[in-house]
Structure formats: C-alpha cells, structure tokens
Amino acid sequence: MGLQLERDFLNEMTWMALVFHLSRKVTSLVPESCLLILLGLVLGGIVLAVAKKAEYQLEPGTFFLFLLPPIVLDSGYFMPSRLFFDNLGAILTYAVVGTLWNAFTTGAALWGLQQAGLVAPRVQAGLLDFLLFGSLISAVDPVAVLAVFEEVHVNETLFIIVFGESLLNDAVTVVLYKVCNSFVEMGSANVQATDYLKGVASLFVVSLGGAAVGLVFAFLLALTTRFTKRVRIIEPLLVFLLAYAAYLTAEMASLSAILAVTMCGLGCKKYVEANISHKSRTTVKYTMKTLASCAETVIFMLLGISAVDSSKWAWDSGLVLGTLIFILFFRALGVVLQTWVLNQFRLIPLDKIDQVVMSYGGLRGAVAFALVILLDRTKVPAKDYFVATTIVVVFFTVIVQGLTIKPLVKWLKVKRSEHHKPTLNQELHEHTFDHILAAVEDVVGHHGYHYWRDRWEQFDKKYLSQLLMRRSAYRIRDQIWDVYYRLNIRDAISFVDQGGHVLSSTGLTLPSMPSRNSVAETSVTNLLRESGSGACLDLQVIDTVRSGRDREDAVMHHLLCGGLYKPRRRYKASCSRHFISDDAQERQDKEVFQQNMKRRLESFKSTKHNICFTKSKPRPRKTGRRKDGVANAEATNGKPRDLGFQDTAAVILTVESEEEEEESDSSETEKEDDEGIIFVARATSEVLQEGKVSGSLEVCPSPRIIPPSPTCAEKELPWKSGQGDLAVYVSSETTKIVPVDMQTGWNQSMSSLESLASPPCNQAPTLTCLPPHPRGAEEPQAPLYPPSDPRPSFAFPPSLAKAGRSHSESSADLPQQQELQPLMGHKNHTHLSPGTANSHWCIQFNRGSRL
Amino acid sequence: MGSRSSHAAVIPDVDSIRRETGFSQASLIRLHHRFRALDRNKKGYLSRIDLQQIGALAVNPLGDRIIESFLPNGSQQVDFPGFVRVLAHFRPVEDEDTDLDPKKPEPLNSRRNKLHYAFQLYDLDRDGKISRHEMLQVLRLMVGVQVTEEQLENIADRTVQEADEDGDGAVSFLEFTKSLEKMDVEQKMSIRILK
C-alpha cells in the first residue's frame, strides 16, 4: 500500500512537472501559486482515496517555525529599501489602519449576517468569535501577494505598497488574533475595559518590540560580519543563523516575528553586503532565494493537500459567501477611504487604477489558514465552519484573483515596472536631486522627509558605517561607485560573449594586436601622417621614428609572449573545511578568461568610441584603416587630434618572477577567496607596493603571462640606454600599445575592476612613495587634458622617484593616496627593490619626449 | 482667514508673484514668513551670509552651489520674488499645469525647468555644457573620501562618455535631459509642501 502510494506520488509529480515545463503558456497565464494549490488538491485527493484519511497537513507549528521565516527573510533582505522608506507612510497606514478596519468591519458584518438569520443557526458564534475570525481572515498574506505580484510586474510603488503592507500587517494580525483569542477564552462577560486598553497597548509593544528585536539582530549581524575576514566560509551561515535567531527570539517573546525578520533583513543588508565576500554574497542570495521558493512551494502544496481533509471542516454557504463578499467589499472600501486621506499628503497621489489593483491584490494565504487551524475547538465551537470558510477564501483569492489580476492589470493599463539598465548619469543625478531637495527643505525651513533622510545618511556615514563596516568596504557601498563597477563588469562580460573564439584574433581588431598586414600602418611615420596635425612634431618625436621598426618588433615579441599560456603548474592540494581554494582547473579557466578579457576590453574601448565617433562626425576614411586600432583610437572621442606619438606608444611590460608566484601559492589559504571575476591588469603601483601579493594574484596565482624576456632590440633601444637607472618599471598591463586617450578608457575600466577585485588591506600601507605618474613634468602637451592622467595608476618605486622625476604635482595628494589606495600591500617591500632575486621588473618604452 | 489676507498684503506684488510661480496664497505666506526669518537685519533681501546661516546647508555637499543658485548673476543678494522664483522649481506638477495654453510661458516647475535647475548646478562656468572637469567636481563632492581621485576621474570620464552623444567631451543640456529620460523627474524634484 505504502509503495503504491509512493509510486502514485512520484508519477503524479513527474507528470505535473512535465506539464509545467512543457507548456510555458500555462505558467505565463496561471500563477505558480495556483498551479501548486491545484497540484496539492490532486495529491491530497489521491492520498485520501488511497489511504482513506488525510496523511499530510499544513501544521501551524511547521508553518510558523520553518516555512514562513525563509520567505520573510528573503523579502526583507531584498526589499528595495529606498522605495520602502519613500512609501513608508502609506505602507504603515494600510498595514495598521487597513488591517484593523478589515478585521472589525468583516467581523461585525458577519455577526450582523448571523443576526439577520442568513447564517445557519448551527454556527455557534458570538460577536467575539466573529471578530476573532475577522482578525485572522483580514490580513493580506505576504506569501500569496509575493507569489502573485512577482509575476504581474506592476510598477514599483504599487508593488511596494501592497507587499510592504502584507509584511507589516503581521504585527496587527498577531495582536488582534491573540487579543480576540484570549477574550474568547475568557468569555465575553469577563472582559473588562482595562483588557481593551491592554489590547491596544500590546499592539504597540508587539510591533515596536518586534521591530526592535530585528534591528538589534541586524546590528549584531553587521558587526559580526565585520570580523569574518579570515573565516569567509561561515559568512552565509551567519546571515541565516542570526536572522533566524531574530525570528525565534521575537516569537519566544510573543512579539511580531515577521516584523523582526523583516527589519533584520532590511537593516543589515547594506552593511553585510559590504562586509562579506563576493562569493558569500552570491551564496547568500541564491540560498535565500532557493529556501524561500522551496518554502513557498511547500506551503501552497500543503494548502491544497490540507483542504481535501473534510473531517476538519464544516460547510455553511451563508457564512462562506458572506465572508467572501465582505472581505472584498471592505477591502475596497478601506483602500478607497485610506487612499483619499493619504493623497492629501502624497506628492504623487495614488489614482483610481492603483486603488483597484490594491483592493484586488489583497490576497489571503497560508497565514490565515495556519491561524485558523490553531483555534481551540473547545473554546471556539464554530471552528470547523471557520476553517472551511478560510480555505474557500484562501483558494478564491489565490486562484480566482491570482488568475484574473494579470488580465486586469493589462486591461486597466496599470503602469508596469520597466527595467532599464542603471546608468552612471542617472545614479549621479539622482543623488544630486536628493541633495538639492534636502537643501531646499532647509531653505524653506520645513523639515520633511528629505531633510530627515539626509540627516540619517550623514549619521550613517559618520557613525554607523564606521562601526559596522570594514574600512576597506566603504567604497563598495557607494552607489555611484557601485553602478560604475557593475557597468564595467557588464562591458567586460559582454565582450567575452561577443568574442567567441578567444585566440583566433584574426577577425578581431584589437589595439594590442596589430594584424600582420597592418603593421606597416602602425609604424610611427604613418601615425604621424595620420594624425595630421603636426602639433608635437618636435625633434624628439622624430628621433623615435627611427626606431619605430624596433618598437614594433618588440611589441610583437611581447604580444606573442602574452598570448601564449604558461605551461600548467602543479598546485598544492589544499583540503580544508573552512577554506575554499580554487582548484587548478578553475584557475586555468580564469587564466584564459583573464587574458581574453583584457584584450576585449582594450578593443572595446576603441570600438565603442568608433561608433560614437562615426555617428556624430562621419569622416571619410577607408574602413581598412579603421582596423588600425592605434590610429583609430587616436581620434577617439572627438578630442583634439594633435596628440604626439609619444602619447600613443607606451609599451609596458610586466615580468613576474616565479618566486613571487610560489609565495602567493603558499600563503593562499589565508587570503580572501572572494573575487568573482578577476582582471589581470594591475596598476604598477600595486605590484610594486605589495609584499603580499595582490588579491588578483592570490586567487589566480598562476602567471597570466609568461615573463617576457627583453628582446635584444629593447635592451639596446636608444631611449633605454640614456636612462639605465630608470629601467625598473613594472606594470602588469602587458604588451600594450594603447594610445593615450584610449588608455584613459582602458585604465578607467581596468583600475576599477582591479581595485574592487583585489582585497583591500586593512592597515594603512607603510610605503611612503606612491606618486601617480607625474605626467605634467614630462609631457609638453599635458595641459591638453589637465585633469586626466591617462595612466593614473602608474607609479614609481621609491628609487625612481628619487631619480630626478618630479612629483611635485602629486605630492599634495600623497597622504590621501596612502590612505585610500586599498591595493597596496602592507607587509614588506623588500623584494620590490630592483635587482633582488624575486624582483618584478619591467621595461618601459619611454616616450619620445624624454629622449 | 482675515488674518491671512492681511498677512498676504505685506508681500509686495503678491499677485504677480503668484502668477509667475503658481504658488498658492498659503504657500506664499509661509515662504514670506520664512524669508523674513532668514533675513536677519530686516534688510528686505537675503544676503549670501543669511543663506549660509542655515545650519544643514553647511553639511550639504551641494550647499554652496544651491546658495549660489539663489543669487542670480553674481549678485550678493536676493529679494523675495527671486527667492520664491527659485523655490518654484520644486513645486509639484499638478494637473492644471499640464494643460496650459501655449501662449503662456512655460511654468517654472515644468520638467524642463526642473532639469535646467539641476543642470546649472553642474555647469559652473555657464557655458551650457557640463565638462568633464565640472563633472569631476560634482563627483568629488558627492562620492566622499572612500574613492580615490584616480577612480573618481575614471567615473567622471565614464559618466561624460555615457551621456555625450555628439562626441564633444561634454554634456550639453539636451544630452543631460536625454540621459534622464527614464527618470520621473517631476516626482524626484518636487517637494510636497510647496504647493
């Protein structure tokens, strides 16, 4: 029998799953929650038919302890906090006033119905019983709302109001339910006036207490994650553990547990996200989503299954119909009344269509069901009728309203949410607007919402963030920076996607890879001719012309070196429960990925600008020429084209020695392993400064490049010979010929990626010398781009700085650099000095002007 | 009500101000009250120092620029009509504002004017364009210390590039408007109490 049952179950499941998967049409029309409930009904029916009794039930204990918390945590944690607080007034009104209104009106109306004789006399219930029923049936259910509204895609404001209401009304529901329940148990005759007062007082205690518990745990959580740098592996666990602890604590203290978890998620997110590693972030996100959707699935299935058990409920048509009509009617009435009041205070009033959707979106769900199951049959004789009514109400709202809300939203032409990619401009201007509004409120002398938000942000910046965030994590939470970072990642990834074949670069026009037949065009003379304006045709430039061929050879040499992968190395097998290290394969993949990424990014910049350029100012030029990255990018961005050659040719090579690598390998375990995408190019400064290897190297310690040996030509290059003492110059930007204005773009994306990807160190770096590239001193045309140092991340080792280079312009921001440069290592820099065994060393093709 | 109208009489040219700014009588009275409170020595105008006295403006990263926007064309003082004219940019857009007859000048709180107000906070040299340098300055004010100068420059570059359509390396007002096409500026640049 049992086996039979099991098989039936499995068959049914697979069949349904197949149906779900096969017909997208079904799922696009019918919300998943409906399908799940129906599936649950079918399953329950089968079980009932086979076993003659209902085996499974939605147990209130299971529901409140295990199924509900993940869903609430998920919704609290991923709540768009800005939107939430922008609409907090409306949300609170609907959650508190609306729920109270619904509970009392529904309860009273049902009682009236009974008095009028429309409810069968066998339903033995007094006013208090009906009020109790009203209190549990009136609350909009977060699970149901989330399940349905996520698929409807109404505009954000509408969504956050309905959804926020469903989350926050929990406190009211819990209080009302408990108060009514105790009144019923005491018997209506024994209730005194003070009890009512207590009920009101407990509303505040429960809601505020729940929120306070949540915030305390949010604080603890944020503070704890601040110190998990060495135990990254427990970060996700901490998040779940503390959030759940908040839930249990609130539940134990009879406070609103849902509110506690919501506030915990809402409050901690900003700090936790900044503190925990990238991988932990991903883990938290997906675990949370998975848990929530699992719980949701189980809840709806169990709802369907439990409904089949007819021994639990008793039907009364008058009660069921009356309840259905009343909850719809009073919900609508309540929404209209409250919206009318709210619109007096709202900047953007909620219009009629919004109100319709809000009324119609008041879905009831598993919370109501679990509460009604919890009722005591001896105290509430009409429990069975209430159970039946609740089931019908839940099914009606989830299935009928859930099915029809999508067409309704379409038909009413409710403003849908539109997803557009964030742009830096929008982000920046939005911040500007916020500050402007705060300032204007100051000027007007009205301390409104913007004023307080501004205040809060200042407080947060000054104290909270200092306390709860790692020093190194500040940047990540800056939203402008964040958008910038994400944009760069997106560009990079889209380029990998576009690229297809990685090494066959023939079809690609990469600035770093002049194709064989275009070598002639890249020659310096050609460049000069191309660039047209002779603005910087000074003698020194002409000097370099002579060696243009050498230069190209060297470029090719390093290009080939860079293009080849280093033979596989063996890695230490590290096996630990608490530290994850990438396996060799992963590293290898990364290595390949990084190489490609690097190239793509370079080419991306040029192509992007090309498009811009041609769009705005079509220039008669052979397309063949356009392939020539150097010449092309030189004209980028419509900037004045009188760049000298010395700007366009900066070939920088990196050599990383084996020893460096070894060290990185051995110390790997204690380092962070949290970089998702690591881009290879690191600024010179970083490499020079770090005794401890930078984050990118830690994660991917295999060299991305074969240490190129200098070509003969390089060794004897005329511009080298003059400045032997300047020879040591490291950059990981291997074999690049990137023209200056392209370099700006290149560096810009690179440095952002690398600086985020590499774990910043906590201590202030001990190094003293980190002037940015003192460009002004050596370039006559520097004033052309006064604020832009195209290679700002380049720096010189101390010895170089002393070697007569001027860094006057940079000395001013030197302290700041030290403070802020998170990429610097802090251990030692002994082996950085040129000439030691494990030195980085590099050759720079100096610019013509210095010859 | 009687006290209100007598109060309104204190404001010079109250009717023309109302026509120009669209403020309600009550708002104007409140603003005038505020204006006089800010005006320390009853000069009849606000000086730069008066505005700088407003506490929270000092910590607002854009505070100086906003004060500047109240003082037109480098003058050091602003009278009440000028004061109200600036604030009128932040009046919420109402239904009756949208169906204006074309003869009337565009109301101060139109989307375009709201955007223009923001734009001129960026455009320090008033050449109608936000240059890379100007963008960088704003970013420096906004982003705070946690990002290095170099990264700021990169962000500034990217921001300009993103909005820049004609490739002149600067953001014109048109490009500025376009970059904010999708944003609900009417909502984001309005303050409810300024009806």
Side-chain angles (χ1 to χ4, degrees), chain A residues 150-167:
Chain A
E150 263 188 348
E151 297 177 23
V152 178
H153 304 297
V154 293
N155 63 71
E156 297 149 327
T157 315
L158 197 52
F159 174 75
I160 202 78
I161 288 179
V162 177
F163 178 54
E165 176 202 342
S166 70
L167 272 180

Side-chain angles (χ1 to χ4, degrees), chain A residues 527-546:
Chain A
L527 254 176
L528 285 174
R529 205 173 56 226
E530 289 266 333
S531 68
S533 87
C536 42
L537 265 181
D538 55 338
L539 282 176
Q540 283 145 332
V541 174
I542 290 172
D543 272 352
T544 58
V545 172
R546 207 176 39 205

Side-chain angles (χ1 to χ4, degrees), chain B residues 80-103:
Chain B
F80 183 65
F83 180 74
V84 179
R85 209 172 293 133
V86 174
L87 292 178
H89 288 107
F90 301 98
R91 192 166 64 85
V93 181
E94 284 159 36
D95 292 339
E96 67 250 34
D97 292 331
T98 51
D99 43 53
L100 279 175
D101 56 313
K103 274 172 274 169

Side-chain angles (χ1 to χ4, degrees), chain A residues 429-448:
Chain A
H429 301 326
E430 211 161 313
H431 278 252
T432 317
F433 291 169
D434 287 346
H435 286 302
I436 292 174
L437 286 191
V440 170
E441 280 198 348
D442 284 334
V443 170
V444 178
H446 167 83
H447 289 176

